[in-house]
Amino acid sequence: MVMKQTPSQTVGPYFAYGLTAQQYHYPHSQYADGCLVTDQTQGERIRVVGRVLDGHGDVVDDAMIEIWQANAAGRFDHPNDAREARPLDPAFKGFGRFGTGTTPDNSFRFDTIKPGAIRDGVAPFISVIVFGRGIMNHAYTRLYFSDETTANAADPVLEKVPADRRNTLIATRNDTATGVEYRFDIRMQGDNETVFFDF
């Protein structure tokens, strides 16, 4: 008898069809994509762009990135975040998903807003989850912003990261002709590997 791996034991190519269908031109709807905002969304519009790189520095063209973030007031659209002093934004859910093989340069792109700090002493951040071929458990990391130097210096999570590795969690701000863009490349292994968290 030949034993084969089941879908729960291996990764891909299940993402495209079920999770990022429209990006790969499948005729199915998808729950989330790379655009988290509408005209009614409150907050500063930003674009987050980046690539996933393997241990050799080669671009990974079949990863999937998910992000989850607070709104501009620093509140998550989640029942456990019941801080009424920080209003919900009905035009912002804070969740996005993007497949890297859908752009010419195999990058991911999220049109969103810059999140507010969830409480005093915590820097604004975006939670990032990486799914990919050969990764049995998805990888969790965070994106912080290069123009939040004071808040970053006091952030309790960043403080726990060795000083020489913190730069792997900082997205670099670029002011472009189309608006504010933050560059955040994710390095899965090798030199300058992104810091991943164990949740």
Side-chain angles (χ1 to χ4, degrees), residues 149-180:
T149 51
T150 302
N152 290 345
D155 186 83
V157 172
L158 276 176
E159 282 183 346
K160 293 181 180 180
V161 175
D164 63 339
R165 306 276 321 280
R166 291 178 193 157
N167 66 308
T168 70
L169 301 176
I170 308 295
T172 305
R173 178 180 173 131
N174 297 301
D175 295 309
T176 72
T178 57
V180 177

Side-chain angles (χ1 to χ4, degrees), residues 11-30 32 61-64 97-102 131:
V11 177
Y14 311 105
F15 299 147
Y17 186 79
L19 299 175
T20 54
Q22 292 169 350
Q23 293 171 345
Y24 289 95
H25 309 291
Y26 289 116
H28 301 286
S29 61
Q30 62 188 59
D61 64 1
D62 60 354
M64 185 180 74
R97 180 183 288 144
F98 202 97
T100 62
T102 60
F131 299 80

Side-chain angles (χ1 to χ4, degrees), residues 17-180:
Y17 186 79
L19 299 175
T20 54
Q22 292 169 350
Q23 293 171 345
Y24 289 95
H25 309 291
Y26 289 116
H28 301 286
S29 61
Q30 62 188 59
Y31 174 74
D33 58 22
C35 185
L36 286 70
V37 294
T38 69
D39 291 341
Q40 289 75 43
T41 304
Q42 302 167 20
E44 177 190 1
R45 297 291 194 281
I46 64 170
R47 173 174 277 182
V48 174
V49 298
R51 297 180 302 168
V52 179
L53 306 168
D54 67 16
H56 300 290
D58 296 327
V59 179
V60 177
D61 64 1
D62 60 354
M64 185 180 74
I65 307 300
E66 289 184 349
I67 65 170
W68 191 42
Q69 66 172 90
N71 65 19
R75 185 172 174 189
F76 288 96
D77 186 8
H78 190 277
N80 288 346
D81 192 345
R83 297 168 297 156
E84 294 178 5
R86 295 176 186 259
L88 281 175
D89 180 352
F92 187 72
K93 297 299 178 192
F95 179 76
R97 180 183 288 144
F98 202 97
T100 62
T102 60
T103 58
D105 62 351
N106 297 314
S107 63
F108 56 86
R109 299 175 186 177
F110 292 99
D111 291 311
T112 185
I113 52 101
K114 191 171 183 184
I118 61 172
R119 63 179 177 272
D120 292 341
V122 175
F125 68 91
I126 296 176
S127 295
V128 180
I129 305 173
V130 184
F131 299 80
R133 175 176 21 98
I135 302 174
M136 295 299 113
N137 295 308
H138 34 279
Y140 294 88
T141 190
R142 278 188 174 185
L143 177 160
Y144 290 89
F145 300 92
S146 63
D147 52 352
E148 296 284 348
T149 51
T150 302
N152 290 345
D155 186 83
V157 172
L158 276 176
E159 282 183 346
K160 293 181 180 180
V161 175
D164 63 339
R165 306 276 321 280
R166 291 178 193 157
N167 66 308
T168 70
L169 301 176
I170 308 295
T172 305
R173 178 180 173 131
N174 297 301
D175 295 309
T176 72
T178 57
V180 177

